[in-house]
Structures are given as structure tokens and as C-alpha cells.
Amino acid sequence: MLFRSLTPEVTVGVRPEAWHLVEPGAGIPVRVSLVEELGSDGFAHGTADLGDATATVAVRLPSRGHVGPDDVLHVAIPAGAAHVFDTATGRRLSP
């Protein structure tokens, strides 16, 4: 999941399974800090540099054993995969 407070009022979230890996130089670079291997699923947790701030990101991996700490993944999401929330109440603002 990506959690990033765009303003004090709005937070954007993306589910780990919504991300897909893209070629280096495309998408958002994420520096991996932890890889969880849970049965057949793997998840990379890391930090994305968004220019003026950083965001915490969790990405469901397509396969196991190919990503480790300090690796950089490049990820993107399809249109409509981001969810917008009111930061104060946690209430979802996007449809």
C-alpha cells in the first residue's frame, strides 16, 4: 500500500496488488527495505521519493526470491487504482 498525505487534509492509498513492475526510468522508483515471503505471495516494502516528500510503499511481487533489501523497483499503477481519503477521519473520498 502507498500512503502519502498530499496535504494535511488528503491521503492517497494504493493496494499492494495494484502496483505493477515497469522498466527502470519509468514509473516511481521504490527503494526496498524489507521483503516478506508469505506462502506463495511475496511483498516488497520500501520508500518512494516523490520529489518534495517520501511515501511508504508495499508492492505484491510477481515471483519470489528476485528482490532484496536496497534493491530499487520501478512501479506504476493503472488509472483508477489510487484511493483518496480524508486524513482526519479516514473516510474515503474517491468513488
Side-chain angles (χ1 to χ4, degrees):
M1 186 141 237
L2 164 74
F3 286 110
R4 167 72 168 90
S5 183
L6 295 177
T7 71
E9 297 83 27
V10 178
T11 298
V12 175
V14 178
R15 296 183 187 278
E17 62 273 13
W19 295 104
H20 59 270
L21 300 178
V22 294
E23 295 296 319
I28 299 170
V30 176
R31 179 161 305 277
V32 176
S33 57
L34 171 72
V35 176
E36 286 184 289
E37 293 185 350
L38 306 169
S40 63
D41 290 326
F43 294 89
H45 300 268
T47 305
D49 181 359
L50 302 177
D52 62 337
T54 59
T56 301
V57 179
V59 178
R60 184 176 184 185
L61 300 171
S63 61
R64 294 175 50 159
H66 299 283
V67 176
D70 291 322
D71 286 349
V72 176
L73 303 176
H74 294 263
V75 297
I77 58 170
H83 304 282
V84 181
F85 301 91
D86 180 300
T87 301
T89 66
R91 186 172 177 201
R92 186 173 172 175
L93 302 174
S94 59

